Amino acid sequence: MTFGEHLEELRSSLVKAIMWLGVGLCVGLFFANDVIRFIQSPLQGAIQQFNADRDLTSLGYSDLDDPEIQPLREFLMQNALVWETIYEVPKELQTLAPDAIESNLDAADDGEAPAVTVKPYAMKELLQKLPDPSALQPKIQLRQSKTSVSSLKIEEPFMIWVKAGLIVGAVLASPMILYHLWAFVASGLHAHERRYVYLYMPISVILFSSGVVLAFFLVLHYVLTFLLAFNGSMDVAVEPRLTYYVNFVLMLPLGFGIAFQLPLVMLFLQRIGLFETEAYIQSWKVAVLVIFVMSMLLTPADVTSMVALAVPLMFLYFLGILMCKFIPRGRGLGSAAYDPA
């Protein structure tokens, strides 16, 4: 094939892959809302736990692991309740004159309950009748507070909805997308080189999926808990923004999934002769240092996620050594393994 024919074949493969991505996007948009709600659930759970621990601590409960406190703690978390102090107005001042209340009759005409408001002058008269503030009795009440992500731009939720649909569509259409891309690449590989891909591609998918599952279902909860507790220690109110949170949730599992490819990268470098197995074994201390540095760069600025990524990577590093040592060598890659057939 000439160079132009190769470009035409590449164009045809890319067009087919994009068409399948478009089909996946149309399907993914139906599930986008459910996906967004699903990725918000870890944040809501972490916020509810943080609020419960903060309120119990402010009420004087120092040992939150005490079994006697756990039922109350679980009750606060499950119902998203927060403590707040109120000062009740005396009952004789709580009844307003009829002319001090106005209602929205338009809402009643639409079948809704009329909106009742207090006229400004009535509130002024009420404040003038209040007793000395020191005579007001404080009370503690529980209020439901389901804090969630917020949006600062009117188009932001729509763009996140499209992004979620695109991600779901890419996952659903990935078999056909990879098939068309692989059909273009495989035509330029020897038979034994294609066998390498057939052997190691499933391992790569398993490692990537393991990293994503570990990040989302285990590490993300501890990362959010750490960050909320750190913000609370600085008395900083947290109002998560939709775009930033979704990007954060997507980047953390993606970083874990890419980092979990370490054994295959080690095996590839060993097979092309850039590193030998003995070099991996002798440099394990340096490798551990590099793993911690890379974990710091691939995760948010907290110790929890860094350690949660570094520890599995150390095990994967030694797994890579075992793969390099015990997986038999094939014919190799590149021109040195030229197959005339």
Side-chain angles (χ1 to χ4, degrees):
M1 296 176 65
T2 64
F3 180 72
E5 291 173 337
H6 277 293
L7 291 180
E8 180 61 25
E9 185 69 19
L10 176 61
R11 186 193 67 83
S12 177
S13 299
L14 291 177
V15 169
K16 294 177 182 178
I18 293 175
M19 290 176 61
W20 277 105
L21 180 60
V23 173
L25 173 61
C26 295
V27 177
L29 291 177
F30 287 100
F31 303 96
N33 288 336
D34 295 330
V35 171
I36 295 175
R37 294 190 189 97
F38 179 72
I39 63 177
Q40 287 186 64
S41 58
L43 176 63
Q44 293 175 348
I47 291 178
Q48 292 171 8
Q49 178 181 342
F50 168 73
N51 289 336
D53 294 343
R54 179 195 59 190
D55 293 342
L56 290 174
T57 302
S58 63
L59 291 174
Y61 296 100
S62 57
D63 186 9
L64 298 180
D65 296 327
D66 188 350
E68 296 182 357
I69 304 177
Q70 291 306 311
L72 177 59
R73 183 169 180 263
E74 292 294 332
F75 176 76
L76 295 177
M77 292 171 55
Q78 293 176 1
N79 296 278
L81 299 176
V82 295
W83 297 90
E84 64 179 7
T85 303
I86 63 171
Y87 290 85
E88 188 176 16
V89 177
K91 292 183 178 180
E92 60 272 13
L93 299 179
Q94 291 185 11
T95 303
L96 296 175
D99 59 348
I101 302 176
E102 58 182 4
S103 60
N104 187 355
L105 299 179
D106 293 337
D109 295 337
D110 295 336
E112 302 178 359
V116 178
T117 58
V118 179
K119 295 181 180 179
Y121 73 88
M123 185 61 65
K124 179 181 178 181
E125 294 177 357
L126 176 63
L127 293 176
Q128 291 175 348
K129 295 179 181 180
L130 284 177
D132 181 59
S134 60
L136 297 177
Q137 296 297 324
K139 289 186 177 182
I140 296 178
Q141 70 175 9
L142 292 174
R143 176 177 57 85
Q144 193 173 49
S145 175
K146 293 186 177 180
T147 304
S148 185
V149 294
S150 59
S151 173
L152 300 181
K153 296 181 179 180
I154 191 172
E155 76 279 4
E156 189 173 349
F158 175 77
M159 298 305 299
I160 292 299
W161 177 71
V162 174
K163 180 184 291 188
L166 182 61
I167 294 173
V168 174
V171 173
L172 295 177
S174 59
M176 296 304 301
I177 294 175
L178 293 176
Y179 169 77
H180 289 293
L181 297 179
W182 170 245
F184 173 77
V185 175
S187 60
L189 299 178
H190 302 303
H192 67 283
E193 292 174 339
R194 289 194 292 270
R195 285 196 295 270
Y196 276 119
V197 177
Y198 296 144
L199 175 62
Y200 296 124
M201 180 61 72
I203 300 177
S204 175
V205 172
I206 292 174
L207 290 174
F208 183 85
S209 302
S210 301
V212 171
V213 171
L214 176 67
F216 187 82
F217 291 99
L218 181 63
V219 178
L220 181 61
H221 172 74
Y222 293 102
V223 171
L224 294 175
T225 301
F226 172 83
L227 294 177
L228 288 172
F230 183 81
N231 291 335
S233 65
M234 300 178 63
D235 295 329
V236 177
V238 179
E239 294 183 0
R241 184 173 172 182
L242 180 62
T243 300
Y244 294 154
Y245 175 71
V246 171
N247 292 336
F248 170 75
V249 172
L250 294 179
M251 291 305 299
L252 183 65
L254 180 62
F256 271 68
I258 294 175
F260 269 47
Q261 304 297 311
L262 177 62
L264 291 182
V265 174
M266 295 172 59
L267 183 63
F268 175 76
L269 295 178
Q270 190 253 5
R271 288 295 188 261
I272 64 176
L274 191 59
F275 285 97
E276 294 297 331
T277 307
E278 291 74 16
Y280 288 136
I281 297 175
Q282 295 174 1
S283 305
W284 70 270
K285 294 181 180 179
V286 178
V288 170
L289 177 61
V290 173
I291 286 174
F292 271 91
V293 173
M294 293 302 298
S295 300
M296 179 181 63
L297 297 176
L298 292 174
T299 57
D302 65 286
V303 179
T304 306
S305 57
M306 183 188 73
V307 174
L309 178 59
V311 172
L313 284 183
M314 288 192 293
F315 286 100
L316 291 175
Y317 179 80
F318 293 106
L319 174 62
I321 294 177
L322 295 177
M323 293 174 63
C324 293
K325 189 172 184 179
F326 293 105
I327 292 181
R329 288 179 178 269
R331 297 190 57 182
L333 301 172
S335 58
Y338 175 65
D339 185 0

